């Protein structure tokens, strides 16, 4: 169910200039609740104790990019308050620094699911690091996350922040290539 009252600082896990908002869902001061939720991509105003005021955002209502002033940010939304429609929109955002799809071949697709099984189309991801960044970006907000390879085989599945596939040991081997390493296949 969509919210009909404005989000306030009480709905935020962190507020003020002392917190980094990059890679987080933020609440913007607006006139309607559905126009308040954005995902922060970057900007010289996105870090903790920022050197500037510009923040680059994606609307979780329309998917459109926006440039806002850090002073318009109330804070970081508590993940449990993110409505389903915003979760579906968030699932369509590629990680910050993702390679341009015009010049790079995607290796993976990322999916995020609501508890009732609904999901939006997959997001193309070009490298293992992009795939892991997608998971980290979605993990606080999504019920279930799945990464598939180009043949549509599941290479990673997580539910409620808990890794289901592959095992924790296999993920550690992937993260630490000095110990033999592995690839996500």
């Amino acid at each position: 169910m969509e919210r009909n009252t404005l989000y306030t600082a009480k709905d935020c896990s962190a507020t003020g200039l002392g917190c980094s908002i990059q890679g987080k869902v933020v609440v913007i001061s607006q006139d309607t609740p559905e126009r308040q939720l954005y995902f922060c991509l970057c900007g010289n105003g996105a870090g903790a104790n920022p050197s500037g005021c510009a923040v680059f955002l994606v609307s979780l209502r329309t998917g459109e990019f926006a440039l806002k002033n850090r002073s318009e940010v109330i804070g970081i939304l508590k993940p449990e308050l993110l409505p389903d429609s915003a979760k579906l929109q968030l699932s369509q955002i590629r990680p910050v620094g993702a390679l341009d799809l015009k010049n790079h071949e995607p290796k993976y697709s990322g999916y995020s699911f609501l508890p009732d099984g609904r999901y939006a189309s997959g997001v193309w991801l070009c490298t293992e690091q992009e795939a892991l960044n997608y998971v980290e970006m979605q993990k606080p907000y999504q019920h279930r996350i799945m990464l598939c390879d180009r043949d549509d085989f599941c290479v990673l599945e997580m539910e409620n922040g808990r890794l289901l596939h592959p095992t924790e040991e296999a993920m550690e081997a992937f993260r630490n290539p000095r110990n033999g390493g592995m690839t996500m296949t």
Side-chain angles (χ1 to χ4, degrees), residues 102-169:
K102 293 177 186 166
N103 303 321
H104 296 87
E105 183 79 19
K107 289 184 179 181
Y108 305 99
S109 52
Y111 301 90
S112 294
F113 299 83
L114 299 177
D116 65 7
R118 286 182 292 153
Y119 67 101
S121 61
V123 174
W124 289 120
L125 305 161
C126 297
T127 66
E128 284 83 4
Q129 190 59 54
E130 277 183 32
L132 291 175
N133 290 349
Y134 178 82
V135 170
E136 288 304 312
M137 177 176 125
Q138 300 294 332
K139 189 166 49 172
Y141 306 103
Q142 304 292 356
H143 170 70
R144 185 169 151 233
I145 302 164
M146 183 183 290
L147 293 177
C148 296
D149 66 12
R150 285 302 304 246
D151 296 321
D152 217 20
F153 288 106
C154 177
V155 295
L156 184 142
E157 185 172 11
M158 179 175 276
E159 189 170 300
N160 293 323
R162 190 175 59 92
L163 187 63
L164 301 176
H165 174 76
T167 65
E168 288 287 348
E169 295 80 20

Side-chain angles (χ1 to χ4, degrees), residues 166-180:
T167 65
E168 288 287 348
E169 295 80 20
M171 278 305 292
E172 187 55 38
F174 173 74
R175 288 185 190 114
N176 193 353
R178 289 181 283 150
N179 295 339

Side-chain angles (χ1 to χ4, degrees), residues 75-103:
I76 300 169
L77 183 71
K78 293 176 183 173
E80 64 273 15
L81 298 179
L82 190 64
D84 287 352
S85 60
K87 288 178 184 179
L88 290 172
Q89 187 67 49
L90 176 64
S91 76
Q92 298 301 288
I93 299 173
R94 297 179 73 225
V96 173
L99 297 173
D100 185 348
L101 293 172
K102 293 177 186 166
N103 303 321

Side-chain angles (χ1 to χ4, degrees), residues 55-68:
V55 289
F56 295 94
L57 309 165
V58 177
S59 167
L60 294 183
R61 181 175 64 92
T62 65
E64 295 175 357
F65 292 98
L67 174 62
K68 300 277 185 183

